[in-house]
């Protein structure tokens, strides 16, 4: 399993260097150990492997379950799970995937989550609350990552030919405040927007979508509100 992960990453790095203008910023922000929730925008099927080669840690990720089905499903399932993926049913609450994610974080793993829940066409969609539930349950720190340039890579085949300017920008680690008692919808949504604004702050304005006019300062204000401050 680890041999496949390392081999696939070597091949991906090679294709990025051969065919694209590939850059990574903020590597110094990644903690070397401990549980870590990587939260990123999602533009392409290539994004999990792009983050796998860009972050200096072994990564795991949740992927829609349809990616594990279809033609060649046995080979596809073997490859994706060996690389670090786990099928997620997006039609409802997937307890099995949630428990798998919790286990990875409890084992000090690096879990990649795309809070939008699906690929966008470039501009950020409103985030979904699953990542907040994971963060609050495990108290794992989060690190925001912004990807630009992969929205043009529509098919799986483009993983082998990633052209254009592709950038990965890694932000600083942050944590969500502890919330006692039942987690209400208002607080849950506010914390989700906090996470999304951290990602948006790293993106060029035209990628920010529904968070275009919002800032990290807005996110900080929400955190203070949840903690009972101003």
């Amino acid at each position: 399993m680890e041999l496949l992960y390392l081999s696939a990453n070597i091949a991906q790095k090679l294709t990025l260097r051969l065919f694209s203008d590939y850059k990574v910023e903020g590597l110094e922000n990644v903690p070397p150990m401990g549980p870590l929730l990587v939260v990123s925008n999602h533009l392409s099927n290539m994004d999990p492997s792009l983050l796998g080669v860009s972050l200096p840690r072994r990564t795991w990720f949740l992927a829609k379950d349809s990616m594990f089905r279809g033609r060649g499903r046995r080979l596809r399932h073997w490859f994706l799970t060996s690389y670090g993926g786990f099928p997620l049913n997006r039609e409802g609450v997937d307890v099995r995937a949630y428990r798998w994610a919790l286990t990875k974080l409890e084992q000090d793993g690096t879990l990649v989550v795309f809070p939008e829940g699906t690929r966008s066409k470039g501009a950020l969609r409103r985030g979904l609350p699953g990542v907040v539930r994971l963060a609050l349950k495990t108290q794992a720190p989060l690190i925001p990552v912004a990807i630009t340039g992969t929205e043009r890579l529509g098919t799986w085949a483009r993983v082998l030919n990633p052209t254009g300017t592709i950038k990965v920008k890694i932000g600083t680690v942050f944590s969500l405040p502890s919330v006692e008692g039942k987690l209400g919808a208002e607080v849950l949504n506010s914390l989700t927007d906090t996470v999304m604004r951290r990602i948006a702050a790293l993106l060029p304005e035209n990628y920010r979508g529904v968070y275009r006019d919002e800032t990290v300062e807005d996110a900080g204000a929400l955190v203070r509100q949840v903690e009972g401050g101003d």
Side-chain angles (χ1 to χ4, degrees):
M1 181 180 292
E2 292 307 307
L3 180 61
L4 183 143
Y5 181 81
L6 292 172
S7 300
N9 278 358
I10 290 171
Q12 185 69 91
K13 283 182 180 179
L14 180 62
T15 61
L16 285 164
R17 290 171 180 170
L18 285 175
F19 304 120
S20 70
D21 177 14
Y22 164 62
K23 296 179 181 178
V24 181
E25 298 179 20
L27 284 172
E28 68 279 2
N29 294 326
V30 182
M33 61 185 69
L36 187 65
L37 262 170
V38 179
V39 287
S40 172
N41 61 318
H42 192 18
L43 305 174
S44 164
N45 285 327
M46 180 185 174
D47 294 339
S49 63
L50 178 64
L51 292 175
V53 301
S54 300
L55 297 168
R57 293 181 56 161
R58 208 282 192 218
T59 59
W60 308 86
F61 63 96
L62 293 166
K64 60 183 180 181
D65 54 2
S66 62
M67 292 175 64
F68 295 77
R69 302 194 301 266
R71 180 179 295 180
R73 61 182 179 275
R74 290 184 180 178
L75 179 60
R76 184 183 299 189
H77 188 279
W78 170 79
F79 179 83
L80 288 172
T81 54
S82 297
Y83 188 73
F86 191 90
L88 172 68
N89 183 352
R90 299 186 303 182
E91 299 302 318
V93 178
D94 191 333
V95 176
R96 186 164 169 261
Y98 180 72
R99 288 176 177 169
W100 177 86
L102 287 178
T103 298
K104 290 303 176 187
L105 292 171
E106 289 167 356
Q107 295 173 345
D108 288 349
T110 303
L111 181 66
V112 173
V113 177
F114 301 107
E116 295 166 280
T118 187
R119 287 170 291 162
S120 70
K121 295 181 180 180
L124 278 177
R125 299 169 180 261
R126 186 67 61 182
L128 300 178
V131 66
V132 168
R133 294 187 185 279
L134 278 173
L136 293 177
K137 178 69 174 179
T138 62
Q139 286 299 296
L142 302 95
I143 190 165
V145 179
I147 298 172
T148 56
T150 62
E151 68 272 15
R152 300 181 304 276
L153 310 178
T155 66
W156 275 105
R158 295 304 302 278
V159 172
L160 303 174
N161 183 31
T163 58
T165 299
I166 298 174
K167 293 184 179 181
V168 176
K169 188 172 184 180
I170 305 168
T172 56
V173 172
F174 68 101
S175 296
L176 295 179
S178 299
V179 179
E180 297 183 2
K182 186 177 180 180
L183 190 62
E186 183 178 357
V187 172
L188 187 61
N189 291 333
S190 293
L191 290 174
T192 302
D193 284 344
T194 296
V195 173
M196 296 304 296
R197 288 182 182 117
R198 294 275 183 165
I199 300 171
L202 300 172
L203 287 164
E205 186 174 356
N206 61 309
Y207 278 83
R208 294 177 185 172
V210 297
Y211 300 95
R212 182 187 297 270
D213 299 322
E214 303 178 17
T215 65
V216 172
E217 285 72 22
D218 297 325
L222 279 171
V223 170
R224 290 192 296 274
Q225 181 181 357
V226 171
E227 291 177 326
D230 295 337

